Amino acid sequence: MSLSKGFEVEVYTGTPAGEIIGFSDRIVANLNGFVREPDSRNVEYTTPPLSRYEQLLCELVRPRQTLRNYLQTLGDYTLVPGSTLSSGDTQRFYRSDPQNPYHAYIEQTYHTDVVTASIHINIGIPDPELLMQACRLVRLEAPLYLALTASSPFLDNRATGYHSTRWHLFPQTPAHVPLFASHQHHIDWMEAQLAAGTMQNVRHLWNSVRPNGDRRPYCLNRLELRICDLVINPLHLLAVTALLEARLLQMMADPSLDPLHISQLPAATRADDLVKLAMANEQAVAKASLDATVHHWVDGREITAKHWIQDLYETLWPIAHQHGFSCFLTPIRSILAEGNEAQQWLTLYEQGRTVPEILAIAIRTAAAQDEQLAEELCLPCMA
């Protein structure tokens, strides 16, 4: 058994020196498969839901190669890694669709705090009650996926003191989202938020993980993990996804794996306490990623994000191996050993490199990675 997986990939466009410049209106008009974000400086593409990691790899890389080639027709432009406006202008919102009232609401309410690039990982789970259990479990462990993917230590050409400035600034909406005890609980809560105006529409649920589907909140078929910063290395993204899939397969094999039921936090306040614990862990990880000290949802004990991930990896590798995708999980070890992208960038920054210099290195590295993968893996798939 393997689960279907797909990605929503947001990415900035700009110069090889890391200056972020918006072209989303032209990209969307001239290329199939791309959609605009409220600010024109980033653009999004979506991969189809697939079970095999080999196919997912090609679906991640091919659109980026198409986009890079198109940007070259506009001038010396490319894709810029990172999840925040590392060298961009945070004082101005560059509207991609000035006539869109929802975009107007976003600009007026949140300004450029929402101008970020991220990865949303979607995993197919058609049973709504199983999906709600998956959302409960993954919400408590979502900080670990942010720890692996943090890539936004800079804003406006300076280090912010956070490894994920994106998640530190991003306005989680509504401010309090409960752990949904059932599908009906989710429906009732969503209807209440829409009636109260705390959500503008069914898409206006911005937190670390949410149930998704074709007719929210009634028809749901997938878990959407929204916390991850942009992972520009496709193999690292697939490793993070493999960790998530293995954890969900473990949950499906062990129905008792549910924070609402097996957490040792006091039963009377457990649901609220778990939400508070998750949000505190998210902010700790936004600050220090893999080095953050967090609290485990089972018993509240302190543990570093890195050690928690190591424990999960050792538990989940046999499950990934049993299901035939352990080779895609193994890059987790190199992320833990070498640091995530934010940590690697901050090392260069502390050595005296400027933000534009660091971004220029990251841009060249990402382009070379995609080109190599496209040549070695994707073209044979297309033949």
Side-chain angles (χ1 to χ4, degrees):
M1 175 187 176
S2 60
L3 306 176
S4 66
K5 301 162 282 286
F7 304 103
E8 299 162 60
V9 183
E10 300 164 350
V11 65
Y12 293 113
T13 56
T15 70
E19 181 185 0
I20 298 171
I21 300 173
F23 297 106
S24 69
D25 53 343
R26 291 194 245 181
I27 293 166
V28 171
N30 291 287
L31 293 181
N32 291 327
F34 291 88
V35 296
R36 71 180 79 208
E37 292 292 295
D39 188 289
S40 68
R41 286 170 288 187
N42 59 2
V43 70
E44 179 183 306
Y45 69 93
T46 303
T47 69
L50 297 166
S51 296
R52 291 183 56 204
Y53 284 87
E54 297 87 348
Q55 292 175 307
L56 278 169
L57 185 57
C58 298
E59 294 292 342
L60 281 170
V61 170
R62 275 198 295 254
R64 293 212 286 255
Q65 295 298 80
T66 300
L67 183 51
R68 284 189 182 94
N69 291 336
Y70 173 73
L71 290 170
Q72 284 291 299
T73 70
L74 304 179
D76 191 14
Y77 302 115
T78 188
L79 305 184
V80 181
S83 274
T84 44
L85 294 165
S86 300
S87 64
D89 179 7
T90 60
Q91 301 306 306
R92 181 178 169 191
F93 201 104
Y94 292 80
R95 286 281 293 278
S96 65
D97 184 2
Q99 306 307 314
N100 188 315
Y102 184 46
H103 290 187
Y105 171 85
I106 289 172
E107 178 186 4
Q108 293 161 10
T109 307
Y110 308 112
H111 202 50
T112 56
D113 283 357
V114 296
V115 184
T116 64
S118 63
I119 294 277
H120 296 174
I121 304 173
N122 289 271
I123 308 285
I125 303 176
D127 180 295
E129 298 304 335
L130 191 62
L131 174 58
M132 292 300 153
Q133 181 183 350
C135 287
R136 293 192 291 271
L137 176 63
V138 174
R139 186 166 177 197
L140 270 297
E141 296 178 359
L144 306 180
Y145 298 95
L146 179 60
L148 288 165
T149 63
S151 66
S152 52
F154 305 130
L155 195 68
D156 283 339
N157 285 301
R158 64 178 182 85
T160 63
Y162 289 83
H163 291 191
S164 178
T165 306
R166 165 186 163 267
W167 199 249
H168 170 63
L169 293 175
F170 200 86
Q172 296 197 48
T173 304
H176 177 79
V177 180
L179 283 182
F180 298 113
S182 65
H183 186 203
Q184 190 61 50
H185 181 201
H186 177 66
I187 291 171
D188 293 344
W189 181 85
M190 284 274 282
E191 289 178 341
Q193 302 307 308
L194 293 168
T198 51
M199 289 173 56
Q200 296 295 299
N201 53 51
V202 295
R203 294 174 293 152
H204 196 204
L205 173 52
W206 297 347
N207 69 333
S208 60
V209 60
R210 70 184 183 190
N212 205 341
D214 297 331
R215 194 167 69 89
R216 291 171 278 182
Y218 310 105
C219 297
L220 304 172
N221 63 3
R222 61 189 182 273
L223 175 147
E224 180 187 359
L225 180 63
R226 300 169 51 83
I227 199 171
C228 294
D229 274 7
L230 174 64
V231 190
I232 202 69
N233 183 325
L235 296 176
H236 285 183
L237 175 56
L238 293 184
V240 171
T241 306
L243 189 74
L244 175 60
E245 179 176 10
R247 185 61 160 159
L248 292 174
L249 289 170
Q250 182 187 37
M251 182 203 78
M252 292 173 181
D254 179 6
S256 71
L257 191 53
D258 186 334
L260 272 184
H261 296 149
I262 64 171
S263 173
Q264 296 168 22
L265 300 183
T269 58
R270 182 179 298 155
D272 286 339
D273 289 348
L274 286 171
V275 169
K276 292 174 185 174
L277 180 146
M279 295 191 73
N281 284 349
E282 288 177 20
Q283 283 306 310
V285 167
K287 178 76 173 175
S289 67
L290 292 169
D291 294 332
T293 298
V294 294
H295 291 86
H296 201 295
W297 61 263
V298 170
D299 53 10
R301 73 183 184 276
E302 285 192 349
I303 186 172
T304 66
K306 182 175 182 178
H307 285 124
W308 191 348
I309 295 165
Q310 285 174 329
D311 291 345
L312 270 180
Y313 178 89
E314 291 170 9
T315 301
L316 297 176
W317 192 92
I319 296 171
H321 182 68
Q322 175 189 349
H323 291 274
F325 60 87
S326 57
C327 62
F328 290 96
L329 180 63
T330 53
I332 293 292
R333 293 186 299 185
S334 64
I335 299 173
L336 295 177
E338 300 166 13
N340 57 41
E341 195 156 40
Q343 291 172 311
Q344 293 183 27
W345 287 0
L346 286 169
T347 297
L348 293 174
Y349 191 75
E350 289 157 6
Q351 292 170 354
R353 301 278 192 136
T354 66
V355 172
E357 287 173 341
I358 294 166
L359 289 175
I361 294 168
I363 287 165
R364 291 193 300 270
T365 301
Q369 284 171 345
D370 282 354
E371 184 174 4
Q372 181 180 5
L373 288 169
E375 289 179 355
E376 292 181 357
L377 299 174
C378 298
L379 291 178
C381 290
M382 297 169 63

